[in-house]
Amino acid sequence: MAVVMGGDDRTAVEQFYADQVHALDRGDFDAYGDTFDADAEFVIDGLRTLRGRARIVEHSQVLRDARSARGAVQRHFMANCAITSTGDDIRVRGTVLAVESVVGQGSRITGVIEFADLLRVQGIAGHRVVSRTAKPN
């Protein structure tokens, strides 16, 4: 039976996501990669499946490098997270707003993405994404 999470457990999951997107946005790919299980699966809109932490990080680095070459910076904002616990696992559904900025050109929304994650708590290492499905709207 799934249980909606609240209190300190919910705060810990929200902090996990804040840490994850901040690491991604600042280009700290070691910290970003550490938020995924070594064998994690990341399904992007049913079009592409990235398997394993290394491939997920590589994909994110390629996208960041392409933006940087254009002088662009992207930031991610997470919202509307529904967090439920199913025993050892945590399921999270929510929305990510991706915003790109270029100096002198302002900012623009580059994506509104629905995501569904399966998290697992791994001892003192904390939460890790075991699987993620992302679907841009």
Side-chain angles (χ1 to χ4, degrees):
M1 177 175 166
V3 177
V4 175
M5 292 180 68
D8 291 341
D9 291 333
R10 182 178 181 83
T11 300
V13 171
E14 290 172 347
Q15 186 62 51
F16 166 80
Y17 282 107
D19 293 344
Q20 184 183 60
V21 297
H22 285 295
L24 177 62
D25 289 347
R26 72 176 177 268
D28 184 347
F29 290 104
D30 288 335
Y32 176 68
D34 197 39
T35 65
F36 290 91
D37 187 75
D39 299 320
E41 182 175 271
F42 192 150
V43 178
I44 302 169
D45 198 22
L47 301 174
R48 180 177 329 150
T49 299
L50 308 172
R51 289 190 173 83
R53 176 186 301 146
R55 181 67 184 105
I56 293 166
V57 169
E58 176 188 22
H59 173 78
S60 296
Q61 285 177 310
V62 166
L63 294 175
R64 188 172 206 273
D65 290 348
R67 281 189 298 276
S68 293
R70 296 184 287 105
V73 175
Q74 189 175 59
R75 298 288 180 249
H76 297 82
F77 302 90
M78 302 192 75
N80 303 330
C81 289
I83 305 169
T84 55
S85 174
T86 57
D88 293 337
D89 297 329
I90 300 167
R91 296 198 179 274
V92 182
R93 291 178 297 104
T95 304
V96 176
L97 180 67
V99 178
E100 184 177 281
S101 301
V102 177
V103 175
Q105 296 180 20
S107 300
R108 65 185 180 94
I109 296 171
T110 55
V112 178
I113 304 152
E114 293 180 23
F115 74 94
D117 281 0
L118 174 64
L119 303 181
R120 194 157 290 144
V121 179
Q122 298 181 349
I124 61 170
H127 298 88
R128 295 287 180 277
V129 176
V130 174
S131 69
R132 171 171 290 165
T133 302
K135 182 177 181 181
N137 286 337

